[in-house]
Amino acid sequence: MEGNNNKSINMIQLAKELGLSISTVSKALGDSHEISASTKKRVFELAAKYNYKPNPFASNLRKKKGTQIAVIIPEIVNHFFALAVDGIGSVTMEKDYDTLIYLSNENPERERAILSHLENGMISGIIISVCSGRAGYTHFQEFYERTKLPIVFFDRVPDLLQFPKVITDNYQSSFDGTMRLLKSGSKNPLFVSPEEPLYTSLERRRGFQDAIRKFNLKFREDMLLELGEDAGVNYMVIKKILSSKKPPDAIFASTERNVITSYQVCKDLKIKIPQKIKILAFSNLRTATLLNPSLSTISQPAFEMGKEAASLLLKMIERKSYAAANDVIVLANEMTIRDSI
Amino acid sequence: MEGNNNKSINMIQLAKELGLSISTVSKALGDSHEISASTKKRVFELAAKYNYKPNPFASNLRKKKGTQIAVIIPEIVNHFFALAVDGIGSVTMEKDYDTLIYLSNENPERERAILSHLENGMISGIIISVCSGRAGYTHFQEFYERTKLPIVFFDRVPDLLQFPKVITDNYQSSFDGTMRLLKSGSKNPLFVSPEEPLYTSLERRRGFQDAIRKFNLKFREDMLLELGEDAGVNYMVIKKILSSKKPPDAIFASTERNVITSYQVCKDLKIKIPQKIKILAFSNLRTATLLNPSLSTISQPAFEMGKEAASLLLKMIERKSYAAANDVIVLANEMTIRDSI
DNA sequence: GTGAAAGCGCTAACAG
DNA sequence: CTGTTAGCGCTTTCAC
């Protein structure tokens, strides 16, 4: 029984009060060239007076398109993704697009459900960082076939050639990082990555392996460690490895999450960094410099990646250059050596 | 010239193929009781076959309401807000609401612009953590008067009685934290907070002052330090204070940002924590335990706050209990003493 | 239990 | 330069 009366004014009322036709008002509001300056002025003024805002449902329905994009990411509680969302927001906001956010929580089923939900036509495009490779990538193809909506992948990208991507030079920076570890004396490094068969991780691993070989070290399978989702389990696994007879003398972590766990284990086992073990990680931790000891990182230009992805997507949406659809934008990572090496 | 033909099927086509009227199909899809089970089944099956999804623009226009809510926060690159968004997402997702995200970037003008944009009627409710108190809070009142849309404030809330809020026991935990510092020997603590006259900060400051007095220490105005936005400037200010003749022997930081700067200064000036200075902060830093030394924190239940805020908002939207509109939900903070004290 | 019809508020031909 | 008109795809009385 709430009085939700005084609901906003509409075009009809504006037109009536102005003694104009509704279509004239519509055109005036759209700043159409076929309306006289004086009429426009009158319309704008009355609209402002009533704080009139066109009903987006009606206008979107009529135009068969809106101004919302969806961002799908595995998690937001992660400095990298938070920065990326910030970057995305910086361009969508400027271009008057609204940003819907969906968290897949590293769950492929969620990701599919989100995609399916988005097939209703509410949005004009998608920016996504995928959550896993295990379930395959067919849902992206299918989504695209059905909706023909522009999609831009970033960071964690599937290996689908037909889609535009924004990534970093994962192979090269991993190679460089590994070389750096080896040059500082590591003979037995351990590369820690998530078990998902993600393009990003695979590229980093490839860089690691190639550096090992390039350095004329013998590559062994047990130089690679794959970790799952469960932080508790991961902790135990790392602890076991670091307590073994021939523990690694360096850890190169492919993700922020893994390096935090590694630090924790070293702290608990009182293993000195970098004396006993050197640590390097792909990470955007803001507090890298304050850790004990300060952490050497390869950080991704997350904000920039978000910006690039959003710019590309909006360009595609506005068809200014749909040809850009197969672009792969590669940005450079930045390695910062601190006390952990 | 892109062929954007095969655009999604609509109800009319479904109805035609089923030999039913469009209104019957609509009701069937809405699981209306006035439609026979057998008809519903046929409708659902065909809809599923064509992967039919009702056009939300049309349906929202007709129903004069949608299923989107807006979240307005000062920043997303902050563990607290990221967690809160995660919490919000956990409930909106479950209830099939879509979440629009807007970053005010600590800019009151942006905040107003966002609010103004949202007056177009696109959303059904707002969850917000305000960005500043300097510009006053009249825009919230006005927004509400004009739209009558439900609004829930969380954490950084204005002092407007008529709105529901989700906050933490800022006064009490600040009081307790200060007592803790004093009991461990601090005689000259410094309370660092942002210069914004935010309710949250003011409560914390009040807790600090009361604890000082309760401990029979003389309160001096210079025990309070207000910092602005510019990290570089803040660094210099703190550095100057810590280099002074009679530097504080404890820092109690009201925000995560300020404590990071403080740590940095101590590190650069080689001031030993906690021997020379004790540090405590309101913070949700994930890496608190890994800092050098590990940081003592009062952390807010950010995820829970997001959840509570979203649940409350959806309840208000669905009018299940519009009476809850003046609720103030107060959650408890958690103090964790680590090596910095 | 099903259908006909009237719009929700707006845009875009098409006329004038 | 302005107005008339026909919907966009859906929901909801109101008939039957």
Side-chain angles (χ1 to χ4, degrees):
Chain A
M1 295 293 135
E2 314 288 328
N4 69 337
N5 34 355
N6 69 344
K7 253 317 257 188
S8 56
I9 191 174
N10 64 20
M11 246 182 185
I12 302 180
Q13 306 175 49
L14 276 188
K16 201 170 289 170
E17 184 159 343
L18 286 162
L20 286 171
S21 83
I22 171 176
S23 73
T24 302
V25 174
S26 173
K27 286 171 185 161
L29 253 15
D31 203 23
S32 160
H33 58 275
E34 37 180 337
I35 303 295
S36 74
S38 61
T39 302
K40 277 185 194 170
K41 184 152 176 286
R42 287 180 58 219
V43 173
F44 282 131
E45 282 175 359
L46 196 68
K49 174 181 165 199
Y50 285 130
N51 200 259
Y52 168 77
K53 303 267 196 302
N55 177 319
F57 299 143
S59 120
N60 290 345
L61 171 60
R62 182 60 234 248
K63 292 192 297 193
K64 285 169 171 284
K65 68 200 196 63
T67 53
Q68 298 189 162
I69 67 155
V71 175
I72 308 176
I73 49 178
E75 48 175 349
I76 185 68
V77 185
N78 171 312
H79 201 225
F80 172 77
F81 287 118
L83 274 169
V85 168
D86 203 4
I88 291 168
S90 75
V91 354
T92 54
M93 193 138 260
E94 188 191 349
K95 301 269 187 177
D96 288 320
Y97 273 75
D98 300 290
T99 310
L100 287 155
I101 192 159
Y102 298 90
L103 308 175
S104 60
N105 288 322
E106 299 286 6
N107 176 347
E109 305 236 346
R110 270 236 129 293
E111 193 178 79
R112 298 180 103 92
I114 293 164
L115 235 36
S116 164
H117 171 65
L118 293 179
E119 280 191 30
N120 67 8
M122 178 174 54
I123 52 149
S124 306
I126 299 185
I127 294 176
I128 180 170
S129 198
V130 308
C131 75
S132 167
R134 262 171 307 173
Y137 299 123
T138 52
H139 48 311
F140 298 120
Q141 307 262 26
E142 286 162 17
F143 179 89
Y144 178 71
E145 289 311 325
R146 285 210 276 261
T147 65
K148 295 294 181 200
L149 243 35
I151 308 180
V152 173
F153 290 87
F154 80 98
D155 187 45
R156 289 159 60 160
V157 305
D159 204 355
L160 301 174
L161 289 176
Q162 76 190 93
F163 296 107
K165 309 175 177 61
V166 177
I167 53 180
T168 55
D169 55 348
N170 288 300
Y171 172 83
Q172 190 60 45
S173 33
S174 188
F175 182 92
D176 295 346
T178 307
M179 286 307 264
R180 187 67 180 69
L181 285 172
L182 299 177
K183 282 179 185 159
S184 10
S186 169
K187 304 283 182 218
N188 183 27
L190 177 69
F191 185 82
V192 183
S193 62
E195 59 192 350
E196 319 295 344
L198 280 166
Y199 181 70
T200 311
S201 297
L202 298 179
E203 284 292 288
R204 292 176 183 177
R205 182 188 298 176
R206 205 162 60 78
F208 174 78
Q209 296 187 8
D210 284 2
I212 298 273
R213 296 197 179 101
K214 176 87 174 182
F215 207 77
N216 289 319
L217 223 62
K218 200 181 140 218
F219 172 74
R220 303 186 322 273
E221 277 302 323
D222 69 353
M223 284 175 165
L224 302 179
L225 174 63
E226 294 194 342
L227 294 179
E229 294 288 308
D230 187 318
V233 171
N234 293 344
Y235 179 90
M236 295 311 294
V237 171
I238 295 176
K239 190 167 191 174
K240 193 174 163 197
I241 291 180
L242 295 192
S243 314
S244 69
K245 301 215 171 72
K246 196 180 155 248
D249 58 9
I251 287 180
F252 189 179
S254 171
T255 66
E256 192 164 297
R257 205 186 296 203
N258 293 338
V259 79
I260 292 179
T261 309
S262 303
Y263 252 62
Q264 198 65 58
V265 172
C266 289
K267 190 180 181 195
D268 296 348
L269 291 180
K270 301 195 197 309
I271 299 177
K272 291 254 175 154
I273 309 170
Q275 293 84 340
K276 281 289 169 194
I277 193 165
K278 300 177 199 312
I279 297 196
L280 173 63
F282 279 91
S283 163
N284 284 70
L285 268 184
R286 230 182 347 166
T287 49
T289 168
L290 299 176
L291 296 193
N292 184 17
S294 60
L295 173 67
S296 303
T297 55
I298 296 175
S299 67
Q300 304 191 94
F303 186 90
E304 276 303 324
M305 289 175 82
K307 259 177 84 168
E308 290 288 350
S311 303
L312 183 51
L313 184 70
L314 296 193
K315 225 177 285 169
M316 288 165 71
I317 289 172
E318 271 147 27
R319 312 262 171 152
K320 294 246 169 63
S321 77
Y322 211 74
N326 290 318
D327 274 359
V328 174
I329 299 178
V330 182
L331 302 180
N333 290 324
E334 186 176 0
M335 178 153 65
T336 309
I337 302 301
R338 301 197 181 84
D339 301 336
S340 67
I341 290 188
Chain B
M1 298 297 134
E2 314 287 330
N4 68 337
N5 33 355
N6 69 345
K7 255 315 258 186
S8 57
I9 190 174
N10 64 19
M11 246 182 186
I12 302 180
Q13 305 175 49
L14 276 187
K16 203 169 288 170
E17 184 160 343
L18 286 163
L20 287 171
S21 83
I22 170 175
S23 72
T24 302
V25 173
S26 173
K27 287 170 185 163
L29 254 14
D31 203 21
S32 161
H33 58 275
E34 39 180 337
I35 303 295
S36 74
S38 62
T39 302
K40 276 184 192 168
K41 185 154 177 285
R42 287 180 59 218
V43 173
F44 280 131
E45 283 175 358
L46 196 69
K49 174 181 163 197
Y50 284 129
N51 200 259
Y52 169 76
K53 303 267 197 303
N55 177 319
F57 299 143
S59 118
N60 290 345
L61 171 59
R62 183 58 232 253
K63 292 193 298 195
K64 286 169 171 280
K65 69 200 197 61
T67 54
Q68 299 189 160
I69 66 155
V71 175
I72 308 177
I73 49 178
E75 49 175 348
I76 185 67
V77 184
N78 171 313
H79 202 225
F80 172 77
F81 287 117
L83 274 169
V85 168
D86 204 3
I88 291 167
S90 76
V91 355
T92 54
M93 193 138 260
E94 188 190 351
K95 302 267 188 182
D96 289 318
Y97 273 75
D98 300 289
T99 310
L100 287 154
I101 193 161
Y102 297 91
L103 307 176
S104 61
N105 288 323
E106 299 286 5
N107 176 347
E109 306 236 346
R110 269 239 129 289
E111 193 178 77
R112 297 181 106 92
I114 292 164
L115 233 38
S116 164
H117 170 64
L118 293 179
E119 279 191 32
N120 66 8
M122 178 173 54
I123 53 149
S124 307
I126 298 186
I127 294 176
I128 181 169
S129 197
V130 310
C131 75
S132 168
R134 261 171 308 175
Y137 299 122
T138 52
H139 47 310
F140 297 120
Q141 307 263 28
E142 285 162 18
F143 179 89
Y144 179 71
E145 288 311 325
R146 286 209 277 261
T147 65
K148 295 295 182 198
L149 243 34
I151 309 181
V152 173
F153 290 87
F154 79 99
D155 187 45
R156 288 158 62 159
V157 305
D159 205 354
L160 301 173
L161 288 177
Q162 76 192 95
F163 295 107
K165 310 175 178 63
V166 177
I167 53 179
T168 55
D169 55 347
N170 287 299
Y171 172 82
Q172 191 58 44
S173 34
S174 189
F175 183 90
D176 294 346
T178 307
M179 286 307 263
R180 187 67 179 71
L181 285 172
L182 300 177
K183 282 180 185 161
S184 10
S186 169
K187 304 281 182 221
N188 183 27
L190 177 69
F191 185 81
V192 183
S193 62
E195 60 193 348
E196 319 295 346
L198 280 166
Y199 181 69
T200 311
S201 296
L202 297 179
E203 283 293 288
R204 292 178 184 176
R205 183 188 297 175
R206 206 162 60 78
F208 174 78
Q209 296 186 6
D210 284 2
I212 297 273
R213 296 193 180 102
K214 175 86 173 182
F215 207 77
N216 289 319
L217 223 63
K218 200 182 141 216
F219 173 75
R220 304 187 321 274
E221 277 302 323
D222 69 353
M223 284 176 166
L224 301 179
L225 174 63
E226 294 194 343
L227 295 179
E229 293 289 307
D230 187 319
V233 171
N234 294 345
Y235 178 92
M236 295 311 293
V237 172
I238 295 177
K239 191 168 191 171
K240 192 173 165 199
I241 292 181
L242 294 193
S243 313
S244 70
K245 300 215 173 71
K246 194 177 156 253
D249 58 9
I251 287 181
F252 189 0
S254 172
T255 66
E256 191 164 299
R257 206 186 296 205
N258 292 338
V259 79
I260 291 179
T261 308
S262 303
Y263 252 64
Q264 197 67 59
V265 172
C266 288
K267 189 181 179 191
D268 296 348
L269 291 180
K270 299 195 198 308
I271 299 177
K272 289 257 175 149
I273 309 171
Q275 293 85 340
K276 281 289 169 194
I277 192 164
K278 300 178 200 309
I279 297 197
L280 173 63
F282 279 90
S283 163
N284 283 69
L285 269 183
R286 230 181 346 165
T287 48
T289 168
L290 298 176
L291 297 192
N292 184 17
S294 60
L295 172 67
S296 303
T297 56
I298 295 175
S299 67
Q300 304 193 95
F303 186 90
E304 276 304 322
M305 290 175 82
K307 259 177 85 169
E308 290 288 349
S311 302
L312 182 51
L313 183 70
L314 296 193
K315 225 177 286 170
M316 289 165 72
I317 289 172
E318 271 146 26
R319 312 264 173 150
K320 293 245 169 68
S321 77
Y322 210 74
N326 291 319
D327 274 359
V328 174
I329 299 178
V330 181
L331 302 180
N333 290 323
E334 185 175 2
M335 176 153 63
T336 309
I337 303 300
R338 300 198 182 83
D339 301 337
S340 67
I341 292 188

